[in-house]
Amino acid sequence: QVQLVESGGGLVQAGSSLRLSCAASRRTLNTYAMGWFRQAPGKEREFVAAISWGGGNCAYGDSVKGRFTISRDNAKNTVYLQMNSLKPEDTGVYYCAGTSKDRSMATYFWAATYDNWGQGTQVTVSS
């Protein structure tokens, strides 16, 4: 389907900021929501944030509330994740994902809802 490519990751110090981007290969005609997930070595994949494509409604995981902001640019077929006040525990591979399922925002917390995934970008936060 639509290919998703993440970018913007890197190595930063605690307290700094990063902005991740997820670009789609073409217009997301059948995408209803986009999400960000992360996975640290030896841990389960964790929900970070989600946004509905049409309405722009947003949801966040408890560990990032107040620090991260998800947004989208419909014209550019791109979703962003602004990460502020980064902590070492934010370290991991960040994946963006899209879903063709038109559901409630609560549904978008679950990785199984998504049917299209990017390859991920590494974020490392040092102290």
Side-chain angles (χ1 to χ4, degrees), residues 5-116:
V5 180
E6 304 95 331
S7 62
L11 173 62
V12 298
Q13 292 184 331
S16 61
S17 299
L18 280 175
R19 189 195 194 198
L20 305 183
S21 299
C22 177
S25 59
R26 59 177 174 83
R27 186 166 60 188
T28 54
L29 298 176
N30 299 312
T31 299
Y32 289 93
M34 299 290 294
W36 286 96
F37 292 78
R38 67 188 183 188
Q39 188 166 22
K43 295 186 177 181
E44 300 290 329
R45 187 166 295 188
E46 177 187 17
F47 171 75
V48 176
I51 185 169
S52 62
W53 195 252
N57 298 311
C58 302
Y60 298 92
D62 290 339
S63 62
V64 305
K65 288 180 179 178
R67 298 188 298 120
F68 291 10
T69 302
I70 188 171
S71 62
R72 55 92 169 89
D73 187 329
N74 293 24
K76 296 181 179 180
N77 303 318
T78 301
V79 175
Y80 305 95
L81 183 67
Q82 179 66 45
M83 305 185 295
N84 298 326
S85 302
L86 284 164
K87 305 174 181 179
E89 50 263 45
D90 294 319
T91 294
V93 178
Y94 283 68
Y95 301 90
C96 69
T99 180
S100 60
K101 302 175 183 177
D102 186 7
R103 301 289 188 271
S104 65
M105 287 301 299
T107 304
Y108 300 137
F109 280 75
W110 306 105
T113 302
Y114 298 85
D115 45 29
N116 191 17

